[in-house]
Amino acid sequence: DVVMTQTPVSLSLAIGQPASISCKSSQSLLGTSGKTFLNWILQRPGQSPKRLIYQVSKLYSEVPDRFSGSGSETEFTLKISRVEAEDLGVYYCWQGTHFPHTFGAGTKLELK
Amino acid sequence: EVQLVESGGGLVQPGRSMKLSCAASGFTFSNYGMAWVRQAPTKGLEWVATISYDGSSTYYRDSVKGRFTISRDNAKSTLYLQMNSLRSEDTATYYCTRGSITRDYWGQGVMVTVSS
């Protein structure tokens, strides 16, 4: 199985500060289609997960542009340019290139 | 508006069966692959099973293979998860999600507790 390793485990930031979360996979996520199925989701407290980014860097339409995704092969990063209160929760990266699809353990973003 | 509404959870004894349903609306259900993802209490997310848009292909994680069956009724816009021989480690909130690979929408989840 592809192991997804997220760091850090938690982040404590003030409103307006930047955030960066790393996600590394144990094997390349570049698929035979030429696409890389690395995605990011956010689970706010007490809620189900919500979509953020797909195929490494593509933001869903409702996601603010302070979010960005980058990376390739086995190393990926989610960045928030300026954290806002609504951004708190647990961020997960997950891969859909190889079965079984696997998730990172999550990064908890807390507000200072 | 896309909506995924799970039902059918609850408390069940080890070794027994349970069937989850997910009613979909707001999109053409028959055009999308679907999947179940679960989350044990205070734990992370774990993919369970995926089914293609027409039901012709299914995929399972090893720990549920032979015990769980994912299926769909496109006429009713409903996804199912039949869970047999349940174990304590199957205790989790089960989420219905849209997409074989994208997983762009998630239901609110349904809790399954396996305990005697």
Side-chain angles (χ1 to χ4, degrees):
Chain A
D1 297 2
V2 178
V3 177
M4 306 295 289
T5 303
Q6 276 185 247
T7 54
V9 172
S10 64
L11 276 174
S12 182
L13 297 169
I15 302 289
Q17 283 189 299
S20 181
I21 300 171
S22 169
C23 175
K24 295 183 180 181
S25 58
S26 60
Q27 56 184 274
S28 174
L29 299 185
L30 178 62
T32 54
S33 62
K35 296 180 180 179
T36 301
F37 296 107
L38 184 282
N39 313 280
W40 292 93
I41 54 176
L42 165 61
Q43 188 171 30
R44 296 187 176 97
Q47 295 186 17
S48 60
K50 297 290 193 291
R51 64 189 195 179
L52 285 178
I53 289 173
Y54 65 103
Q55 290 179 36
V56 181
S57 60
K58 299 178 181 180
L59 268 63
Y60 285 99
S61 57
E62 72 279 7
V63 177
D65 61 7
R66 63 179 181 275
F67 287 89
S68 64
S70 63
S72 64
E73 301 280 357
T74 61
E75 298 195 7
F76 306 91
T77 304
L78 173 70
K79 291 187 176 180
I80 310 174
S81 59
R82 298 173 308 279
V83 168
E84 296 193 5
E86 65 181 17
D87 299 338
L88 72 89
V90 181
Y91 290 81
Y92 295 94
C93 62
W94 68 273
Q95 63 84 20
T97 300
H98 306 286
F99 278 111
H101 295 169
T102 47
F103 292 80
T107 296
K108 187 173 185 179
L109 175 57
E110 300 171 304
L111 298 180
K112 268 186 186 174
Chain B
E1 179 194 5
V2 171
Q3 286 200 322
L4 300 170
V5 180
E6 301 94 338
S7 61
L11 175 64
V12 62
Q13 292 181 327
R16 304 297 291 265
S17 299
M18 177 174 278
K19 187 172 186 177
L20 305 182
S21 299
C22 170
S25 61
F27 65 102
T28 304
F29 183 72
S30 58
N31 285 352
Y32 289 85
M34 299 290 292
W36 289 95
V37 175
R38 67 185 179 185
Q39 186 171 34
T42 69
K43 299 294 185 183
L45 298 160
E46 183 176 81
W47 167 78
V48 176
T50 292
I51 188 168
S52 60
Y53 70 100
D54 60 356
S56 62
S57 298
T58 56
Y59 309 86
Y60 300 91
R61 68 178 303 101
D62 284 349
S63 61
V64 308
K65 217 173 280 186
R67 299 189 299 124
F68 289 13
T69 302
I70 188 172
S71 62
R72 63 192 298 157
D73 185 335
N74 284 348
K76 295 182 178 179
S77 296
T78 302
L79 177 72
Y80 303 101
L81 186 67
Q82 175 68 46
M83 303 183 293
N84 299 331
S85 303
L86 281 161
R87 306 168 180 167
S88 58
E89 55 263 36
D90 296 319
T91 293
T93 296
Y94 284 73
Y95 294 103
C96 166
T97 70
R98 188 181 82 165
S100 301
I101 294 177
T102 52
R103 217 139 294 153
D104 58 354
Y105 286 95
W106 298 62
Q108 85 287 351
V110 62
M111 185 68 199
V112 173
T113 302
V114 184
S115 175
S116 54

